[in-house]
Amino acid sequence: MKYRAEIDGLRALAVVPVILFHAGFDLFSGGFVGVDVFFVISGYLITTILISDIEKNKFSLINFYERRARRILPVLFFVMLACLPFAWFLMVPSQMEDFSQSLIAVSLFASNFLFWSESDYFAPAAEEKPLLHTWSLAVEEQYYFLFPIFLLLTWRYGRNRVFWLIAFLSLASLALSEWSWRNSPTANFYLAPTRAWELLAGSMSAFIVQKVGINKNNTLSFIGLFAILLTIFFYDKNTPFPSLYALPTVVGVVLIILFADKHTAVAKLLSTRVIVGIGLISYSAYLWHQPLFAFARIHAQESPSPTYMLILSAVSMGLAVLSWKFIETPFRDRALVSKKMVLYIAPVFLFFPLSLGLVGHAKNGFEGSLLTANQRSLLDTAINSPKRDDCHASKRDYFGYDDACEYFEGELKVAVFGDSHTVELAYALAKELAPTQQRLKHLSFSNCIPSYGILIDGYEDCSSWTNDAIGRLIDEDSIETVVVSYRINEALFGGHEATFPTLPSNRSKPEIEKIWQAYMDVLKALDENGKNVILVMQAPELKEPIERLIKRDQVSNGDLSGISKEWWLNRNQYVRSRISEIPKSIAIVDPTRLFCDETQCYAAKNGVAYYFDDDHMSIAGATVVAKRVVEKMGD
């Protein structure tokens, strides 16, 4: 295959925005499309090689996979190896267990399935996964495994028919992605069936170039470059992706492949020495950047500064140069590393991290080694509700009022209503009410902001569930008391995890007002229809998950500070300033009064954890609040 310097330039255009996007630079808000650029390039290059080998009757699956192993495995193995000491010293057991699972998944080229099951790619928690970025390698490897077999099976029908079959599959994949972003957005992002059309677009480009060559066209190649840049700078994490929105990126790459002849201005730009140099090290740079960023975020109690992240971006490039020179290049040299050696070494590159991952998973993230006895003892109290999996509704696991859980025996008199912050409260309150033979109904919906009587974009399921649940509570005469609890500060302003210690401000003033009024409407609707309403205010948020606080602290006296009271009062200032709007007939329980002294809000007291993460109360913390709720019920 004839070398095209502009393709390496395209790789640079892919990797730099991805790195700067993951570093948190808002200018590159759509930098994640760099992965899509890589997909199209991969489809083009691999198909070009396959067509050439098949037509020359020298194609071999073993040789193909051997070339892929030379390209992919050595640096991937070394990066995973380099992650191990940082994971050991910086991670808490739950993170180490997740990391161990990712080692397993990466070794099996199935990490896209793992991360699909774990988290949203754009969620703050995902930023602390060192191997998150390997999801795209998994998609490519799945393509590399299946596509050569597909070509071998279909080539007998003729080149044109194969091309049109690929076109049909590409359109079907695009249609699936357009459906999936509306119905299963996380699966849509991570899984190969909804990404295949991007790789297949590259494959179709290979067919065209192989048949008619590269047609010089400055205008079309410039449009291609402009389309890619447009998506890099104007898309963001709220853009449905992949979907029809990915077309400008994909078509942009295709236009450059087809029309950026070496004499065009775009090809000359992409072929400049520096850009090509970045393209040559792009694979290594892509592998290095995410572990560096993830471990930096894990280590820091505050969000790393832009300057620090820019330095780490440069470090990833420096490491990429070294790994390209001393690992990638030697392993791709058949004079230094024979085919036989690759076939012997490749299983080791996969089996070693796979084995470590299996051990780490089996040992629960090496909990016994990473924490002292005192730390383990305290962590053992940081538990959530045993009913969380079965009784907490969500967009993925939607169920309504009739299917909601009820605890325990007796007459149904009490309901707890709200978002995920009500789960442990409901269970703890039910335990407190059990001796009085009062049964409790648990109504909670994950990531559900106040939305009674309104419809908020992105929260349609939440709004529907809220309206139904409130209506049914009003009609349920046996329920006398309704306890309401929301993570109201996140609903109004966004989560603090990605910005701490800076306070988040993710919504406009009209949006904030709309949500606040919906919050008031929830309370007033219940109050005005004869319910005894008790509002449990949001518990103070911690500066980081309690497991990390425990690991950083020797926990000698059983008390563990979670956040300064000053920070929490500032975070909660808007709510405090409008609390007078709550009807006087509604009782208020404020965990701040229970968990904080004059200067600190505690994550644990007297050897008992009040939280199981950075904002949800544990059963023990919820019990402290539930006891106060019971007192209010008796007033």
Side-chain angles (χ1 to χ4, degrees), residues 528-563:
E528 291 170 0
N529 282 277
K531 304 301 180 182
N532 175 30
V533 181
I534 300 174
L535 174 63
V536 175
M537 305 298 291
Q538 182 186 336
E541 295 160 329
L542 308 182
K543 58 187 173 185
E544 57 184 338
I546 190 167
E547 193 175 9
R548 282 192 229 171
L549 293 173
I550 290 172
K551 185 173 182 179
R552 294 184 197 275
D553 195 287
Q554 293 304 307
V555 195
S556 56
N557 62 0
D559 292 352
L560 186 64
S561 176
I563 197 72

Coordinates of all heavy atoms in Angstrom, one line a residue, residues 528-563:
E528 N -51.2 20.5 50.4 CA -52.6 21.0 50.2 C -53.6 19.9 50.1 O -54.8 20.2 50.1 CB -52.6 21.9 49.0 CG -51.8 23.2 49.2 CD -51.6 24.0 48.0 OE1 -52.1 23.5 46.9 OE2 -50.9 25.1 48.0
N529 N -53.2 18.7 49.9 CA -54.1 17.6 49.8 C -54.1 16.7 51.1 O -54.4 15.5 51.0 CB -53.8 16.7 48.6 CG -54.2 17.4 47.3 OD1 -55.4 17.2 46.9 ND2 -53.3 18.1 46.6
G530 N -53.7 17.4 52.2 CA -53.9 16.7 53.5 C -52.8 15.8 54.0 O -53.0 15.1 55.0
K531 N -51.7 15.8 53.3 CA -50.6 14.9 53.7 C -49.8 15.7 54.8 O -49.6 16.9 54.7 CB -49.7 14.5 52.6 CG -50.5 13.8 51.5 CD -51.2 12.5 51.9 CE -51.9 11.8 50.8 NZ -52.7 10.6 51.2
N532 N -49.3 14.9 55.7 CA -48.3 15.4 56.7 C -46.9 15.3 56.0 O -46.4 14.2 55.9 CB -48.3 14.6 58.0 CG -47.2 15.0 58.9 OD1 -46.8 16.1 59.0 ND2 -46.8 14.0 59.7
V533 N -46.4 16.4 55.5 CA -45.2 16.4 54.7 C -44.0 16.8 55.6 O -44.0 17.7 56.3 CB -45.3 17.4 53.6 CG1 -44.0 17.4 52.7 CG2 -46.5 17.1 52.7
I534 N -43.0 15.9 55.5 CA -41.7 16.2 56.1 C -40.6 16.3 55.1 O -40.4 15.3 54.3 CB -41.4 15.1 57.2 CG1 -42.4 15.0 58.2 CG2 -40.0 15.3 57.8 CD1 -42.3 13.8 59.2
L535 N -40.0 17.4 55.0 CA -38.9 17.6 54.0 C -37.6 17.3 54.6 O -37.2 18.0 55.6 CB -39.0 19.0 53.5 CG -37.8 19.4 52.5 CD1 -37.8 18.6 51.3 CD2 -37.9 20.9 52.2
V536 N -36.8 16.4 54.1 CA -35.5 16.1 54.5 C -34.5 16.8 53.6 O -34.5 16.5 52.4 CB -35.1 14.6 54.6 CG1 -33.7 14.4 54.9 CG2 -36.0 13.9 55.6
M537 N -33.9 17.8 54.0 CA -33.0 18.6 53.2 C -31.8 17.7 52.8 O -31.5 16.7 53.3 CB -32.4 19.8 54.0 CG -33.5 20.7 54.5 SD -34.6 21.5 53.2 CE -33.4 22.6 52.5
Q538 N -31.1 18.2 51.8 CA -29.9 17.4 51.3 C -28.8 17.3 52.3 O -28.5 18.3 52.9 CB -29.4 18.0 50.0 CG -28.2 17.3 49.4 CD -27.6 18.0 48.2 OE1 -28.2 18.8 47.6 NE2 -26.3 17.7 48.0
A539 N -28.3 16.1 52.5 CA -27.1 16.0 53.4 C -25.9 16.6 52.8 O -25.8 16.7 51.6 CB -26.9 14.5 53.7
P540 N -25.0 17.1 53.6 CA -23.8 17.7 53.1 C -23.0 16.8 52.2 O -23.0 15.6 52.4 CB -22.9 18.0 54.3 CG -23.9 18.2 55.4 CD -25.0 17.2 55.1
E541 N -22.5 17.3 51.1 CA -21.7 16.5 50.2 C -20.3 16.4 50.7 O -19.8 17.4 51.4 CB -21.7 17.1 48.8 CG -23.1 17.1 48.1 CD -23.3 18.0 47.0 OE1 -22.7 19.1 47.0 OE2 -24.1 17.7 46.1
L542 N -19.6 15.4 50.4 CA -18.2 15.2 50.8 C -17.3 15.7 49.7 O -17.7 15.7 48.5 CB -17.9 13.8 51.1 CG -18.8 13.1 52.1 CD1 -18.3 11.6 52.3 CD2 -18.9 13.8 53.4
K543 N -16.0 16.0 50.0 CA -15.1 16.5 49.0 C -14.7 15.4 48.0 O -14.2 15.7 46.9 CB -13.9 17.2 49.6 CG -13.1 16.4 50.6 CD -12.1 17.3 51.2 CE -11.3 16.5 52.4 NZ -10.4 17.4 53.1
E544 N -14.8 14.2 48.5 CA -14.5 13.0 47.7 C -15.1 11.8 48.3 O -15.5 11.9 49.5 CB -13.0 12.8 47.5 CG -12.2 12.7 48.8 CD -10.7 12.6 48.5 OE1 -10.3 12.2 47.3 OE2 -9.9 12.8 49.4
P545 N -15.3 10.7 47.6 CA -15.9 9.5 48.2 C -15.3 9.1 49.5 O -14.1 9.2 49.7 CB -15.8 8.5 47.1 CG -15.6 9.2 45.8 CD -14.9 10.5 46.2
I546 N -16.2 8.6 50.4 CA -15.7 8.3 51.7 C -14.6 7.2 51.7 O -13.7 7.3 52.6 CB -16.9 7.8 52.6 CG1 -16.4 7.7 54.1 CG2 -17.5 6.5 52.1 CD1 -17.6 7.6 55.1
E547 N -14.6 6.3 50.8 CA -13.6 5.3 50.7 C -12.2 6.0 50.6 O -11.2 5.5 51.2 CB -13.8 4.4 49.5 CG -13.0 3.1 49.6 CD -13.4 2.1 48.5 OE1 -14.2 2.5 47.6 OE2 -12.9 1.0 48.5
R548 N -12.1 7.0 49.8 CA -10.8 7.7 49.6 C -10.5 8.5 50.9 O -9.3 8.6 51.2 CB -10.9 8.6 48.4 CG -10.7 7.9 47.1 CD -10.5 8.9 46.0 NE -11.4 8.5 44.9 CZ -11.5 9.3 43.8 NH1 -10.9 10.5 43.8 NH2 -12.3 9.0 42.9
L549 N -11.5 9.2 51.5 CA -11.2 9.9 52.7 C -10.7 8.9 53.8 O -9.7 9.3 54.5 CB -12.5 10.5 53.2 CG -13.1 11.7 52.4 CD1 -14.4 12.1 52.9 CD2 -12.1 12.9 52.4
I550 N -11.2 7.7 53.8 CA -10.7 6.7 54.8 C -9.3 6.3 54.5 O -8.5 6.2 55.4 CB -11.7 5.5 54.8 CG1 -13.0 5.9 55.4 CG2 -11.0 4.3 55.5 CD1 -14.1 4.8 55.2
K551 N -9.0 6.1 53.2 CA -7.6 5.7 52.9 C -6.6 6.8 53.2 O -5.5 6.5 53.6 CB -7.5 5.3 51.4 CG -6.1 4.8 51.0 CD -6.1 4.2 49.6 CE -4.7 3.7 49.4 NZ -4.5 3.1 48.0
R552 N -7.0 8.1 53.0 CA -6.1 9.2 53.2 C -5.9 9.4 54.7 O -4.9 10.0 55.1 CB -6.6 10.5 52.6 CG -6.7 10.5 51.1 CD -7.1 11.9 50.6 NE -7.6 11.9 49.2 CZ -6.8 12.0 48.2 NH1 -5.5 12.1 48.3 NH2 -7.3 12.0 46.9
D553 N -6.8 9.0 55.5 CA -6.8 9.2 57.0 C -6.5 7.9 57.7 O -6.9 6.9 57.4 CB -8.1 9.8 57.4 CG -8.1 10.4 58.8 OD1 -8.0 9.7 59.8 OD2 -8.1 11.7 58.9
Q554 N -5.7 8.1 58.8 CA -5.4 6.9 59.6 C -6.6 6.4 60.5 O -6.5 5.3 61.1 CB -4.2 7.2 60.5 CG -2.9 7.4 59.8 CD -2.6 6.2 58.9 OE1 -2.5 5.1 59.3 NE2 -2.3 6.5 57.6
V555 N -7.6 7.2 60.6 CA -8.9 6.9 61.3 C -8.5 6.3 62.7 O -8.9 5.2 63.1 CB -9.7 5.8 60.5 CG1 -11.1 5.7 61.1 CG2 -9.7 6.2 59.1
S556 N -7.8 7.1 63.5 CA -7.4 6.7 64.8 C -8.5 6.9 65.9 O -8.7 6.1 66.8 CB -6.1 7.4 65.2 OG -6.3 8.8 65.2
N557 N -9.3 8.0 65.7 CA -10.3 8.3 66.7 C -11.8 8.0 66.3 O -12.7 8.3 67.0 CB -10.2 9.8 67.1 CG -10.5 10.7 66.0 OD1 -10.7 10.3 64.9 ND2 -10.4 12.0 66.3
G558 N -11.9 7.5 65.1 CA -13.3 7.1 64.6 C -14.0 8.3 64.0 O -15.1 8.0 63.4
D559 N -13.5 9.5 64.1 CA -14.2 10.6 63.4 C -13.4 11.0 62.1 O -12.2 10.9 62.1 CB -14.2 11.9 64.3 CG -15.1 11.7 65.5 OD1 -15.8 10.7 65.6 OD2 -15.0 12.6 66.4
L560 N -14.2 11.3 61.1 CA -13.6 11.6 59.8 C -14.3 12.8 59.2 O -15.5 12.8 58.9 CB -13.8 10.4 58.9 CG -13.1 10.4 57.5 CD1 -11.6 10.4 57.7 CD2 -13.5 9.2 56.7
S561 N -13.5 13.8 59.0 CA -14.0 15.1 58.4 C -14.4 14.8 56.9 O -13.6 14.2 56.2 CB -13.0 16.2 58.5 OG -13.5 17.4 57.8
G562 N -15.5 15.4 56.5 CA -15.9 15.2 55.1 C -15.8 16.4 54.2 O -15.4 16.4 53.1
I563 N -16.1 17.6 54.8 CA -16.0 18.9 54.1 C -16.1 20.0 55.1 O -16.6 19.8 56.2 CB -17.2 19.0 53.1 CG1 -17.0 20.1 52.1 CG2 -18.5 19.2 53.9 CD1 -16.0 19.7 51.1

